[in-house]
Amino acid sequence: VIPYNDTGLKPDSETTIIGCGLIGVSWAALFSAYGYAVRLWDPAADWETRAERNLLTAREQLARLSVRGSGEITYSSTLREAVHESAWVQESTPESIQIKRQVFEEISACVASEAIIASSTSSFTWSQLAPFVTDPARLITAHPFNPPHLMPLVEIFSSNDVVGALAVEFYRGLGRRPIRLRLDATGHVANRLASALWREAVHIVASGIADVADVDAAVVDGPGLRWSTIGPHMAYHLGGGDGGIRSYLEHLGASQVRRWADLGTPTLSPEVCEAIASGVEREAAGRSVQQLANERDETLIATLRARRTFLER
Ligand SMILES: NC(=O)c1ccc[n+]([C@@H]2O[C@H](COP(=O)([O-])OP(=O)(O)OC[C@H]3O[C@@H](n4cnc5c(N)ncnc54)[C@H](O)[C@@H]3O)[C@@H](O)[C@H]2O)c1
């Protein structure tokens, strides 16, 4: 086990995934493909079969991105067995505070004192989880984007600078793009942004401005494509011409404030839910969630490969 104030974990360090659903298995594939030994544990009856199948798919996808390590993967029969020799525990259990409490208390009881415990939580803050562990300094939130083995972003909050820096290094070593939050914010950064965008997307559908498929197209073939190369701030820097962002703020800042004033705050009433759900079903046009996820992954892999080729030039 590597101490947390070391410069980083060794590639053959043992890591653990607790909770092997959508996110946990994806992390497991990534950790293993970067050479870490990974122990998995999940309490569901059929979890090994499900995990094995999904691991295979994720590992094949990573191989197409030239990530081909093969850290040993072990299916543990108890949480203790999965955790006790681990240097890095990635908790990926359901988003329930009762389950997180129970799992963190169990992990704390058997984890090595120098190990890091990282939570994949989407909606709980670090402060909400910290009371459940023995040493909060070694707890971090490390929020991935689905699927973590393809999406580079990991959002980190740590109360401890040494641990926070180590976490950045650890996820960078897994080919991720970690960012660090300066404050322990609900929804981290990306989901706050995603929620703000979806709030307006729902408002646009609910108020009849455009239908679900057209709103999705407006993002994917409009700013979404641009956002895969430059973020929203930098996009306006380029929108300001030679004067950049300062010129944009001076000349078009007021127009943004007017647009903000017109944005909606929808409620998820039964009618709005029906409009969204039936609109998404029309957009899916008979494709299953699994088919749609495969299409998403294929496009993500192609995009990641194209971006890498461009960056390597
Ligand atoms: N789904 C997403 O898009 C997404 C994205 C980023 C982060 N997250 C976060 O990742 C975490 C996991 O989400 P998910 O989508 O993989 O959920 P999921 O339901 O697919 O998987 C959760 C797994 O945890 C297992 N589990 C249930 N009780 C448990 C317990 N007591 N101990 C250990 N494992 C237990 C379940 O059997 C299941 O396999 C959540 O905190 C979620 O907020 C989800």
Side-chain angles (χ1 to χ4, degrees), residues 257-271:
V257 175
R258 273 202 305 282
R259 276 181 267 170
W260 286 337
D262 194 52
L263 298 180
T265 309
T267 53
L268 288 176
S269 65
E271 297 74 34

Side-chain angles (χ1 to χ4, degrees), residues 227-249:
W227 288 331
S228 74
T229 76
I230 49 171
H233 293 110
M234 195 57 88
Y236 288 124
H237 186 48
L238 272 59
D242 288 344
I245 187 68
R246 291 184 186 281
S247 167
Y248 184 89
L249 287 168

Side-chain angles (χ1 to χ4, degrees), residues 19 21-23 42-43 50 92-95 100 103 120 122 143-144 146:
L22 195 65
I23 296 301
D42 191 293
R50 179 170 40 102
S92 304
T93 64
E95 195 71 350
K100 301 269 192 216
V103 165
S120 302
S122 302
H143 176 248
N146 183 40

Side-chain angles (χ1 to χ4, degrees), residues 18-25 27 41-45 47 50 79 91-96 99-100 102-103 106 119-124 142-146 148 191:
I18 297 297
C20 298
L22 195 65
I23 296 301
V25 164
W27 275 130
W41 185 76
D42 191 293
W47 74 277
R50 179 170 40 102
L79 179 144
E91 173 277 319
S92 304
T93 64
E95 195 71 350
S96 141
I99 293 178
K100 301 269 192 216
Q102 183 207 335
V103 165
E106 283 181 36
S119 175
S120 302
T121 182
S122 302
S123 64
F124 299 122
H143 176 248
F145 247 55
N146 183 40
N191 272 341

Side-chain angles (χ1 to χ4, degrees), residues 158-186:
S158 169
S159 64
N160 176 302
D161 264 348
V162 176
V163 172
L166 172 60
V168 166
E169 196 167 318
F170 175 70
Y171 292 105
R172 209 175 265 153
L174 294 168
R176 301 305 88 190
R177 172 76 182 269
I179 65 159
R180 262 187 87 176
L181 272 67
R182 294 180 182 182
L183 293 176
D184 183 23
T186 302

